[in-house]
Amino acid sequence: MFYIKIPERLFYGLTRDVSHLENPEQLVNVKIKIDLNYEYDKIDLNKKLIEQMNAHAAYRNKNYRVRKVVSHDSEKSIPLQIIDTFIGIVVFLLEKSYLADSDVSIIKSDLIFRFLMESNNLVRFQNQIRLFEWTGNEDLKEINISEHLSPFMVYKTNFDIQEITKIQEVLVKNPSIKTKELRETLGYPNTMLRLLLGYRDHITGVGRNTFLLK
């Protein structure tokens, strides 16, 4: 499934390895999904993608043919929303937005961290996310997502250690403290309540995401 708003050359790059493993002579049928956009309808983008990509495939002797380009409303398409979420995570990591000193950055960092630490998501994210750098040439340079994941995981782990230590110090002095009072003592805004609940569950050893299932 392809996303939207990327140059045609990137489409070519992403399909350069498309082939039928069992029978290299057999053409692979490609179906492209793009986000619904009325501006695309004005320029007849769906038809142009089919024509231009197939012309490219024939010229470069590529083993695929684009058979269909369909539009999907991202507000009604869960797969497109998932792709949009993953793109947001990747951009957040690439731009090192987690280093920003803001509540929004802290909340997003925690959400991403909890997602990656759940089950085997970290390994799956590294294995299934393919990242490319476009340098203006037809060939794309593949980037190892792990190079951007590792600094984030280290930063977030150190950040959490500091925050958990603060919480433990408060709990030692007042074990029966209410969540709201604890949040106010730490200076957390209400938007960081889930962050605090995750820390508390982590301290008690029941898991970082346990509170989400209650």
Side-chain angles (χ1 to χ4, degrees), residues 56-77:
H56 172 84
Y59 178 73
R60 297 291 184 182
N61 196 28
K62 298 295 183 180
N63 194 34
Y64 71 85
R65 291 296 181 272
V66 178
R67 302 302 185 188
K68 184 183 294 186
V69 176
V70 295
S71 300
H72 282 267
D73 187 347
S74 60
E75 294 184 359
K76 300 178 182 178
S77 172

Side-chain angles (χ1 to χ4, degrees), residues 91-144:
V91 171
F92 189 83
L93 297 175
L94 291 180
E95 296 182 345
K96 297 188 183 332
S97 299
Y98 51 86
L99 297 177
D101 185 19
S102 69
D103 293 345
V104 173
S105 175
I106 293 173
I107 293 170
K108 286 185 178 181
S109 295
D110 189 64
L111 179 62
I112 294 171
F113 183 79
R114 286 192 285 109
F115 162 72
L116 292 174
M117 293 304 295
E118 183 68 19
S119 188
N120 63 338
N121 283 352
L122 181 60
V123 174
R124 295 177 64 189
F125 193 84
Q126 293 180 93
N127 292 339
Q128 296 183 25
I129 298 294
R130 298 187 67 192
L131 190 62
F132 298 88
E133 178 183 4
W134 185 43
T135 59
N137 299 319
E138 181 174 330
D139 293 331
L140 302 178
K141 175 184 177 183
E142 188 163 5
I143 300 174
N144 189 347

